[in-house]
Amino acid sequence: MSQSDQFNQIERYEALMDVVRNRLTNRAFDANYEVPKEHYELIIEAARHGPSGANAQPWHYIVITQPDMKQKLADSFVTEQTKRAKMGMKFPTPNYRGMATAPGLVLVAADFRFIKAFPVFNDDSELDKHYKVNAERILLQSVAASVMSAHLAAAALGYAVWWVTAIGQEEIQEQFKPLIGLPEELSVIDIMCFGPPKKESYKRWRRELPEIMNYDTFNMDNFWTDEMIDEWIKTKRHRVMYRDANNID
Amino acid sequence: MSQSDQFNQIERYEALMDVVRNRLTNRAFDANYEVPKEHYELIIEAARHGPSGANAQPWHYIVITQPDMKQKLADSFVTEQTKRAKMGMKFPTPNYRGMATAPGLVLVAADFRFIKAFPVFNDDSELDKHYKVNAERILLQSVAASVMSAHLAAAALGYAVWWVTAIGQEEIQEQFKPLIGLPEELSVIDIMCFGPPKKESYKRWRRELPEIMNYDTFNMDNFWTDEMIDEWIKTKRHRVMYRDANNID
């Protein structure tokens, strides 16, 4: 292959983008569908190749197959949702009941102890604390890169996906760690749901390319003031979270 | 398509995995290669579709084309590297000089202000602080999911990649924000390097699938004690970070 062909594999790129563009979120699934066991393996095989700080791979995937466990998870998220609403949180929480309908449900556990394997001093000095803030960011980004690969794999197979980042973590963790035998040292930071969607999925709003892309200097046209963010939260957030991109205005 | 075909698109999965498995890290590039402008667009187009908390898409990509800027970035990382070594940090830092050789270099800026668009109270209460810890995690994972898509796109085109998570952030940010006109409100959290590798890339160690995959209950065979982690840091980390997987023992 010539150099220009070797680094211009457009067909390969398009095959990837067919998955990237069509990784569609859904929050209710066909509960009667059974995920073939090999699909779990195919999906977590993708996660296995994720890049990570110090190549530590600080992740574990726990496939939940038991319907009563899924129901319990959904229930605890609904409880959290109710609690928040009572306390006056204005966030337009999704309907977590859909978690119980997910034929595929995988808990993602992070091992935060690997922070000590990253660029830190491990001597509890002020400087160490400074580096540990960065190190925790490295760990979270590492796990997310792995989870993203899993989501793309599920989407490639044809499934709708739902990436749940844990809420009210401590309470939910205390409840669930014993049920799945997860040691204290590990933390469930994401839940991945997938399966055939109950109703057809649709594409949600994305910023246009020029809004996020800049050459050499940041284009101030792309900057949102605090007021713009507040306005977006008030008038757009619930639409871009739940509606078809063609129907947000 | 029958349901079993619709959710069993193995060819599509294999096309994705051809990229996922071959997203290879390299830390020195062919500095004479010029990235076609459309490749930057193809790569950031992938990043654009990343999932995010509240669909906020709190990311900006700044393509750096000027060689003197790349050199300055590399220099500041080398300075940080030297500082760390002097202070006795034992982390086997990569050779950041390679950053200056990257034909493709893209800064990733996160907008942490979007944390207020996530499930939080925004009232500075103790409870709010608790939710904000989670919210920052959601933001970091969102940005990482977007960056991972960009890395896969670059790998699909045929490039070697290098995901640099910022080190000594504050100092480097103070130095670089004015140079690229980045407002105070945004933070550079990752640097993405890509291009034809100087020497051939190779696959690094990955845990085997059964080591990260669990059904219904966590398999304690997959648990690493603190002692195992310490031993891994001492005897394996530098090997798995820099060597070919076939040559780590």
Side-chain angles (χ1 to χ4, degrees):
Chain A
M1 235 192 289
S2 73
Q3 200 195 45
S4 61
D5 288 343
Q6 195 181 348
F7 303 110
N8 191 32
Q9 300 179 42
I10 296 294
E11 274 181 43
R12 203 159 166 250
Y13 170 82
E14 287 301 345
L16 170 73
M17 288 305 292
D18 176 50
V19 179
V20 166
R21 287 201 186 92
N22 297 300
R23 187 205 44 76
L24 298 178
T25 297
N26 212 305
R27 296 187 178 96
F29 301 89
D30 172 1
N32 294 318
Y33 177 89
E34 192 174 340
V35 177
K37 202 177 167 186
E38 61 267 30
H39 282 195
Y40 291 116
E41 290 168 13
L42 292 173
I43 289 167
I44 299 172
E45 171 65 16
R48 191 170 81 81
H49 291 279
S52 57
N55 194 12
Q57 306 160 52
W59 49 66
H60 292 281
Y61 290 82
I62 302 108
V63 175
I64 304 296
T65 64
Q66 298 166 5
D68 63 323
M69 267 297 289
K70 293 182 190 177
Q71 189 60 55
K72 271 183 198 160
L73 264 172
D75 288 347
S76 65
F77 274 77
V78 170
T79 302
E80 164 71 21
Q81 194 173 19
T82 311
K83 196 180 88 182
R84 288 186 195 177
K86 272 191 193 151
M87 292 187 300
M89 187 187 280
K90 294 195 187 78
F91 189 74
T93 312
N95 187 349
Y96 287 110
R97 291 189 200 285
M99 275 173 66
T101 69
L105 195 153
V106 182
L107 304 181
V108 184
D111 192 336
F112 281 87
R113 293 175 301 166
F114 277 97
I115 284 175
K116 69 176 166 184
F118 297 163
V120 294
F121 289 97
N122 290 322
D123 61 3
D124 284 326
S125 62
E126 277 309 306
L127 195 65
D128 184 47
K129 280 178 198 142
H130 170 81
Y131 278 96
K132 284 217 166 115
V133 172
N134 261 340
E136 185 174 312
R137 290 182 176 186
I138 295 172
L139 189 131
L140 288 162
Q141 291 201 292
S142 302
V143 176
S146 169
V147 175
M148 183 61 178
S149 304
H151 277 250
L152 289 173
L157 288 168
Y159 293 121
V161 292
W162 181 11
W163 186 329
V164 182
T165 35
I167 53 166
Q169 282 192 315
E170 279 160 55
E171 294 82 348
I172 291 177
Q173 303 250 1
E174 259 174 61
Q175 214 178 329
F176 281 92
K177 275 187 184 174
L179 297 179
I180 57 169
L182 197 71
E184 266 314 301
E185 290 85 346
L186 305 182
S187 313
V188 178
I189 64 167
D190 295 301
I191 299 169
M192 174 184 181
C193 299
F194 66 93
K198 194 173 168 193
K199 291 184 199 165
E200 211 179 333
S201 308
Y202 45 82
K203 184 79 183 181
R204 286 174 175 78
W205 170 74
R206 288 294 185 274
R207 296 178 199 273
E208 297 297 325
L209 190 58
E211 293 178 80
I212 62 164
M213 186 164 183
N214 310 265
Y215 282 99
D216 289 310
T217 50
F218 182 75
N219 176 359
M220 280 303 285
D221 292 348
N222 289 334
F223 182 69
W224 283 26
T225 61
D226 289 350
E227 291 70 29
M228 286 166 79
I229 294 177
D230 289 341
E231 183 64 19
W232 178 85
I233 291 173
K234 221 163 72 181
T235 63
K236 294 274 187 190
R237 181 179 59 182
H238 55 289
R239 300 183 191 182
V240 305
M241 283 178 73
Y242 297 111
R243 290 194 193 171
D244 190 312
N246 297 318
N247 187 28
I248 58 168
D249 292 316
Chain B
M1 236 194 288
S2 72
Q3 200 194 46
S4 62
D5 288 342
Q6 196 181 349
F7 303 110
N8 191 32
Q9 300 180 42
I10 296 294
E11 274 181 42
R12 202 160 167 249
Y13 169 83
E14 287 300 345
L16 170 73
M17 288 305 291
D18 177 50
V19 179
V20 165
R21 287 202 186 92
N22 296 300
R23 187 205 44 77
L24 298 178
T25 297
N26 211 304
R27 296 187 179 97
F29 301 89
D30 173 2
N32 295 317
Y33 177 90
E34 194 175 337
V35 177
K37 201 178 167 185
E38 60 267 29
H39 281 195
Y40 290 116
E41 290 168 13
L42 292 173
I43 288 168
I44 299 172
E45 171 65 17
R48 191 170 80 82
H49 291 278
S52 57
N55 195 12
Q57 305 160 53
W59 49 66
H60 292 281
Y61 290 82
I62 302 110
V63 176
I64 303 297
T65 64
Q66 298 167 4
D68 62 323
M69 267 297 290
K70 291 182 190 178
Q71 190 60 55
K72 271 183 200 161
L73 265 173
D75 289 347
S76 65
F77 274 77
V78 171
T79 303
E80 164 71 18
Q81 195 172 18
T82 312
K83 195 181 87 181
R84 287 185 194 178
K86 273 191 193 150
M87 292 188 297
M89 186 187 282
K90 293 195 187 79
F91 189 75
T93 313
N95 187 348
Y96 286 111
R97 292 189 199 287
M99 274 173 65
T101 69
L105 194 153
V106 182
L107 305 181
V108 185
D111 192 336
F112 281 87
R113 294 175 301 166
F114 277 97
I115 284 174
K116 70 176 165 185
F118 296 163
V120 294
F121 288 97
N122 290 322
D123 62 3
D124 285 325
S125 62
E126 277 308 305
L127 196 64
D128 184 48
K129 280 178 197 139
H130 170 80
Y131 278 96
K132 285 218 165 113
V133 173
N134 261 342
E136 185 174 312
R137 290 181 175 185
I138 295 172
L139 189 131
L140 288 161
Q141 291 202 293
S142 301
V143 176
S146 169
V147 174
M148 183 61 179
S149 304
H151 277 249
L152 290 173
L157 287 167
Y159 293 121
V161 293
W162 182 11
W163 186 328
V164 182
T165 34
I167 53 165
Q169 283 193 316
E170 280 161 55
E171 294 80 347
I172 291 177
Q173 304 250 1
E174 260 175 60
Q175 215 178 328
F176 281 91
K177 274 188 184 173
L179 298 179
I180 56 168
L182 197 70
E184 266 314 302
E185 290 86 347
L186 305 182
S187 313
V188 178
I189 63 167
D190 294 301
I191 299 170
M192 175 187 180
C193 299
F194 67 93
K198 195 173 168 192
K199 292 182 200 166
E200 211 180 333
S201 308
Y202 45 81
K203 183 80 183 182
R204 288 175 173 78
W205 169 73
R206 288 294 185 274
R207 295 178 199 273
E208 298 297 325
L209 191 58
E211 293 178 80
I212 62 164
M213 186 164 184
N214 310 265
Y215 282 99
D216 289 310
T217 50
F218 182 75
N219 176 358
M220 280 303 285
D221 292 347
N222 290 334
F223 182 70
W224 284 26
T225 61
D226 289 350
E227 292 70 29
M228 286 166 78
I229 294 177
D230 290 340
E231 184 64 20
W232 179 85
I233 291 172
K234 222 163 71 181
T235 62
K236 294 274 188 189
R237 181 179 59 181
H238 55 290
R239 299 183 191 182
V240 304
M241 282 179 72
Y242 298 111
R243 289 194 193 171
D244 189 311
N246 297 318
N247 186 28
I248 56 168
D249 293 314

